[in-house]
Amino acid sequence: MCGIVGIASRNEFPSVLLLDRLKRLEYRGYDSYGYFDGVRLKKSLGNIEVSAPGKARIGIAHTRWATHGGVTMRNAHPHASCDGRIVIVHNGIIENFEDLRKSLVRQGHRFSSQTDSEVIAHYFEEGLKSKSIKVVIKDFLKAFIGTFAVLVQIKGNDEIYAIKRDSPLVLGVANGKNIVASDIYAFSDMTNRAAFFENDEFAVIRPDGYQFFDRRGRAVQKPLQKFVWEQEASQKKAFKHYMLKEIMEEPETVDRMLFSLEHEQKPAFDRLIKLVRGSKKIIFASCGTSYHASLLGSYFLHRVGIETQTLIASEFRHYANIDRDTLVIALSQSGETMDVIDGLKYAAESRGRIVGIVNVPYSTVQRMSELSLNILAGQEVCVASTKAFVNQAAMLLKIAQEFGFRVNLDNLSERIRGLLRKKAEIRRIAETIAKAGDVYIIGRGLTYPVAREIALKIKEISYIHAEGMMGGELKHGTIALIEKGTPVISLINNNDPDIISNTKEVEARGAKVITISNNPALANRPDAIAIRTDNDGKFGILAAVAGQLIAYYAADKLGRPIDKPRNLAKSVTVK
Ligand code: AGP
């Protein structure tokens, strides 16, 4: 995914505002970025540097997550037409770009990038030779296959044309400024009034107003909605990295969510419980960290007799049979993950019922769901998801509690706080892992998803190969890779004899075992992280938090760019 921003302002603004807004969307992509302020078109590789000369009344900007074409200056957005008059930014994927490109090349257009997006600029250039902008946009909606949120700007003209299909796009109206962006983060500190684009809608955005249209070009009246969003400090403050800041926020954010499930979100939560009770089949759809939280949820619910399936959203269509008695629960921090949205489309086509559990309000997943709950983790700036995982897992544990899972959630935040106090100890252990080429994390039952989540964090942040697996699977092949000194993190819940025996198996092969356990008998081992809880549900969440810290400190030791996994800083002005 990429992030896009456009600003049309009644008064001139410093061009740097485009980058300042874009910086808030950097979590959506950080390979390269660029902006066009009506005069200057500037592109850079790497992290967004919020500095730019000049002033503007209209401008667009883009932060890229490379899909078509490598991370190069040429592939960075914005893209311009041959004559440089039409400038565009795009988030999404144009599936038929090769056909469109061939036909535009036949018409004499010269391409300078390998991206799918550049065809948009040339398509508009060609169309505007003989048609009005509105007709070109209507034709664009017919001709282009794929997903897109597109902003088009024409040199010398003070309008932005914003077009959406399947990629998120929202317009915020702040004091004298109309800001169109991939999500509300771009302007949530400036306004709480926004209008959300629906699929195949477009808008003309001017300094003094805007107008939405449907795919046929008919005007659409779209009242502004007031949105509520936690105004959380997005600054790192005293923390070295956002990742650490966000882990340290976990006690507060989990309390905030649990409180809200008893108060403002209680009616929605009760409806969810009713839906779970009344559904013949329940399927979670999610990706990455959210998938691991869903797996944990499946475990919690299974323990109280509710069978669920957890599917990786990108495979959802291939594995799920959905009908009107099926409840699909989409778990997504951003609420904008395309694989999840695709899965939900399939669920909707098959008449399943959809519940969204998201962190970003007004996101696409939320708007596709008949019922939606918010995990209230606040903005996650770091690409590695941490506090959102804790809140997702706590929400699912709370649901299981309604069906009889015995757990006291009142002291969960206190337990997390207690664990975070051990960060110096965890740091020491993590620094030994930093020397390794491979790390294995083993769990069973509820700790299996946690093992996978810890492995994902280690890979994502420290770039060390890590594999999270079921302890029982070791003997079926992977144990061959355990040698003298190989770090194995073993997640031992109470006295679970099976995982204890797996731990002994790897120890017998010389592994350097690190235990994360709530078993007091293991607390004095040399590399032990002791967790204070005798409750299974809470142990799962706490073990994941310990793993987040391990991943963070290993990455820090290795000097990895934790908040942004790549840094290719280099800058050039194109026009
Ligand atoms: C994990 O640290 C990642 N950020 C990633 O796996 C993420 O959880 C996944 O892409 C799903 O995102 P979502 O929760 O916003 O849908």
Side-chain angles (χ1 to χ4, degrees):
M1 71 186 174
C2 303
I4 62 175
V5 175
I7 303 177
S9 170
R10 247 183 262 147
N11 300 316
E12 267 192 339
F13 60 86
S15 301
V16 74
L17 184 68
L18 287 161
L19 295 176
D20 179 57
R21 299 295 99 190
L22 194 66
K23 187 82 187 164
R24 295 171 67 88
L25 300 182
E26 199 174 21
Y27 75 94
R28 301 181 60 90
Y30 35 75
D31 290 329
S32 61
Y33 66 99
Y35 71 93
F36 176 60
D37 64 2
V39 181
R40 286 158 289 264
L41 194 163
K42 197 170 149 57
K43 305 181 185 195
S44 298
L45 301 183
N47 299 347
I48 298 173
E49 274 179 42
V50 185
S51 96
K55 291 194 170 172
R57 281 190 76 205
I58 284 260
I60 56 178
H62 182 279
T63 183
R64 180 167 187 246
W65 174 269
T67 54
H68 289 66
V71 182
T72 64
M73 291 296 293
R74 282 183 180 280
N75 290 338
H77 293 223
H79 291 290
S81 56
C82 298
D83 63 7
R85 268 189 72 232
I86 321 280
V87 182
I88 68 102
V89 290
H90 164 231
N91 170 32
I93 292 175
I94 308 298
E95 287 168 20
N96 58 338
F97 83 97
E98 275 168 351
D99 293 344
L100 291 161
R101 186 174 168 133
K102 275 185 204 147
S103 126
L104 286 158
V105 167
R106 279 198 296 274
Q107 289 168 291
H109 290 262
R110 285 163 285 106
F111 282 75
S112 49
S113 78
Q114 301 159 307
T115 65
D116 54 337
S117 309
E118 194 187 343
V119 287
I120 303 169
H122 297 280
Y123 184 89
F124 273 80
E125 182 178 41
E126 189 59 36
L128 285 170
K129 287 180 186 166
S130 56
K131 295 178 238 175
S132 71
I133 183 77
K134 223 167 137 186
V135 172
V136 180
I137 296 175
K138 286 195 289 175
D139 289 351
F140 169 90
L141 284 166
K142 285 187 211 138
F144 278 62
I145 301 172
T147 62
F148 43 79
V150 175
L151 303 180
V152 180
Q153 195 177 334
I154 303 173
K155 250 187 197 166
N157 162 341
D158 63 358
E159 290 180 337
I160 295 173
Y161 307 100
I163 317 164
K164 172 206 151 95
R165 179 183 295 157
D166 284 337
S167 294
L169 199 58
V170 57
L171 172 73
V173 178
N175 222 351
K177 287 187 178 55
N178 294 316
I179 306 175
V180 60
S182 298
D183 68 46
I184 59 172
Y185 284 151
F187 49 72
S188 58
D189 58 337
M190 292 170 75
T191 180
N192 64 350
R193 294 185 308 146
F196 295 87
F197 285 71
E198 296 303 331
N199 275 341
D200 285 15
E201 280 183 351
F202 66 93
V204 178
I205 296 157
R206 296 178 306 273
D208 58 354
Y210 58 88
Q211 177 65 59
F212 279 78
F213 299 92
D214 70 10
R215 64 163 70 104
R216 295 203 189 121
R218 294 177 302 204
V220 172
Q221 293 319 316
K222 200 167 276 254
L224 289 175
Q225 292 181 36
K226 260 196 167 176
F227 64 86
V228 187
W229 176 245
E230 303 294 323
Q231 297 280 329
E232 247 178 37
S234 62
Q235 285 88 7
K236 279 188 285 182
K237 291 194 186 140
F239 295 100
K240 191 169 173 190
H241 297 102
Y242 281 110
M243 182 175 178
L244 186 59
K245 169 185 178 278
E246 288 164 8
I247 294 172
M248 291 300 160
E249 282 169 4
E250 287 169 354
E252 272 166 58
T253 52
V254 81
D255 266 349
R256 177 164 71 208
M257 184 197 69
L258 291 170
F259 181 84
S260 113
L261 294 180
E262 299 285 350
H263 296 87
E264 324 85 86
Q265 295 204 86
K266 175 112 175 75
F269 186 72
D270 291 346
R271 274 182 63 204
L272 170 60
I273 298 300
K274 221 166 143 190
L275 273 174
V276 170
R277 197 164 271 132
S279 302
K280 287 210 178 112
K281 199 197 281 184
I282 301 168
I283 314 182
F284 286 103
S286 42
C287 307
T289 291
S290 299
Y291 170 73
H292 299 146
S294 306
L295 274 179
L296 202 50
S298 274
Y299 173 88
F300 295 150
L301 288 167
H302 164 78
R303 280 269 298 267
V304 288
I306 296 171
E307 297 308 332
T308 65
Q309 217 183 333
T310 299
L311 293 176
I312 289 191
S314 54
E315 292 293 321
F316 195 76
R317 282 173 188 267
H318 307 302
Y319 288 90
N321 281 318
I322 313 257
D323 60 20
R324 22 178 119 233
D325 295 320
T326 308
L327 175 65
V328 176
I329 304 181
L331 225 69
S332 173
Q333 187 282 127
S334 61
E336 299 294 354
T337 300
M338 199 44 76
D339 291 329
V340 178
I341 292 166
D342 259 359
L344 292 189
K345 275 191 190 163
Y346 167 69
E349 283 155 22
S350 319
R351 296 168 176 263
R353 306 195 70 169
I354 300 174
V355 169
I357 298 182
V358 298
N359 190 35
V360 179
Y362 312 96
S363 52
T364 305
V365 168
Q366 183 174 79
R367 287 180 295 122
M368 288 177 85
S369 307
E370 70 173 79
L371 172 70
S372 163
L373 280 104
N374 197 311
I375 60 166
L376 298 174
Q379 186 176 1
E380 246 185 1
V381 177
C382 182
V383 174
S385 184
T386 52
K387 57 180 179 169
F389 174 86
V390 168
N391 277 23
Q392 288 170 332
M395 166 92 74
L396 297 171
L397 188 52
K398 172 96 181 143
I399 296 170
Q401 188 187 42
E402 290 292 313
F403 291 94
F405 196 108
R406 291 175 64 141
V407 59
N408 170 15
L409 287 168
D410 292 344
N411 63 5
L412 176 59
S413 60
E414 206 32 61
R415 292 285 179 267
I416 298 175
R417 213 168 266 123
L419 178 61
L420 296 179
R421 271 187 225 115
K422 296 185 183 178
K423 59 182 195 299
E425 214 177 290
I426 298 176
R427 180 181 198 137
R428 183 191 56 77
I429 293 172
E431 289 180 353
T432 64
I433 285 181
K435 295 176 198 142
D438 308 280
V439 180
Y440 296 87
I441 304 101
I442 53 171
R444 272 177 177 259
L446 94 154
T447 57
Y448 161 62
V450 178
R452 290 190 53 165
E453 174 54 15
I454 296 175
L456 178 65
K457 285 286 100 79
I458 293 176
K459 285 186 278 202
E460 190 179 19
I461 297 303
S462 67
Y463 310 168
I464 297 170
H465 167 251
E467 201 172 322
M469 58 185 302
M470 297 163 178
E473 275 294 286
L474 267 173
K475 59 182 171 296
H476 299 292
T478 310
I479 199 145
L481 297 172
I482 308 292
E483 318 176 320
K484 193 164 184 313
T486 308
V488 176
I489 303 175
S490 181
L491 310 178
I492 305 179
N493 184 18
N494 294 316
N495 278 319
D496 180 355
D498 294 325
I499 193 75
I500 290 174
S501 119
N502 297 142
T503 309
K504 287 191 174 139
E505 279 161 23
V506 292
E507 256 170 347
R509 282 158 180 82
K512 178 177 173 48
V513 170
I514 293 138
T515 52
I516 299 179
S517 179
N518 54 353
N519 182 340
L522 299 173
N524 295 324
R525 285 175 53 98
D527 287 308
I529 299 173
I531 304 281
R532 198 177 145 214
T533 182
D534 54 9
N535 180 272
D536 291 2
K538 281 190 286 193
F539 177 70
I541 295 174
L542 291 162
V545 174
Q548 292 169 354
L549 285 173
I550 291 177
Y552 172 76
Y553 285 120
D556 192 34
K557 174 77 181 168
L558 292 165
R560 304 294 194 217
I562 292 174
D563 289 331
K564 307 279 149 18
R566 267 163 280 182
N567 188 353
L568 306 158
K570 206 165 18 117
S571 175
V572 75
T573 299
V574 176
K575 276 180 198 114

